[in-house]
Amino acid sequence: QVELVESGGGSVQPGGTLRISCTTAGYPYNFNCMGWFRQAPGKEREGVAAIYSLIPSGESTYYADSVKGRFTISRDNAKNTVHLDMASLEPEDTATYYCALDAAFARLLPNTKCWGGNYWGQGTQVTVSS
């Protein structure tokens, strides 16, 4: 059974930085697609960032327009872990951030290798406030 454990959420002032991480267990191979969604109160869940495998080969990254230039996603294949480094945080970034894997990104990233299991973490809260 695949397990996802998120860490690193918390409160930060506007303009601050924060790193959130997602460590996976229970799967012997690297995931094709790893990344993050977020959901703020009263808003729909949105894809924030992903690092994903291309067809037939290669890798790329996705960022929502609202976070481009501020957030950086990275992965550690040896540990099957994905990180999201967030800088210049804004109050609008306040949300619960969910780690997600593979088919969770199928709609957001069509024509990629985001297939297979649809895995989600429990979420970690990020609050940006002065």
Side-chain angles (χ1 to χ4, degrees):
Q1 183 175 349
V2 175
E3 296 182 359
L4 289 73
V5 178
E6 296 135 329
S7 60
S11 296
V12 64
Q13 291 187 341
T17 62
L18 203 61
R19 167 180 266 206
I20 55 177
S21 300
C22 175
T23 300
T24 68
Y27 191 72
Y29 308 104
N30 291 130
F31 293 97
N32 286 325
C33 302
M34 307 180 79
W36 301 87
F37 288 78
R38 69 184 180 187
Q39 188 165 22
K43 293 188 176 181
E44 292 188 355
R45 186 171 56 191
E46 64 170 340
V48 177
I51 188 164
Y52 60 97
S53 297
L54 300 168
I55 298 174
S57 62
E59 189 173 79
S60 188
T61 54
Y62 163 88
Y63 294 98
D65 287 343
S66 59
V67 307
K68 281 181 182 176
R70 301 188 297 120
F71 289 12
T72 303
I73 190 168
S74 61
R75 65 186 292 172
D76 182 341
N77 287 333
K79 298 179 180 179
N80 235 350
T81 297
V82 61
H83 306 287
L84 185 66
D85 289 294
M86 303 180 287
S88 302
L89 282 161
E90 304 168 352
E92 293 73 23
D93 295 316
T94 296
T96 301
Y97 285 69
Y98 296 93
C99 179
L101 307 172
D102 283 353
F105 292 95
R107 282 192 174 185
L108 184 66
L109 301 170
N111 303 314
T112 66
K113 292 186 178 179
C114 295
W115 53 47
N118 190 340
Y119 304 112
W120 294 85
Q122 294 298 308
T124 186
Q125 180 67 33
V126 172
T127 301
V128 185
S129 174
S130 56

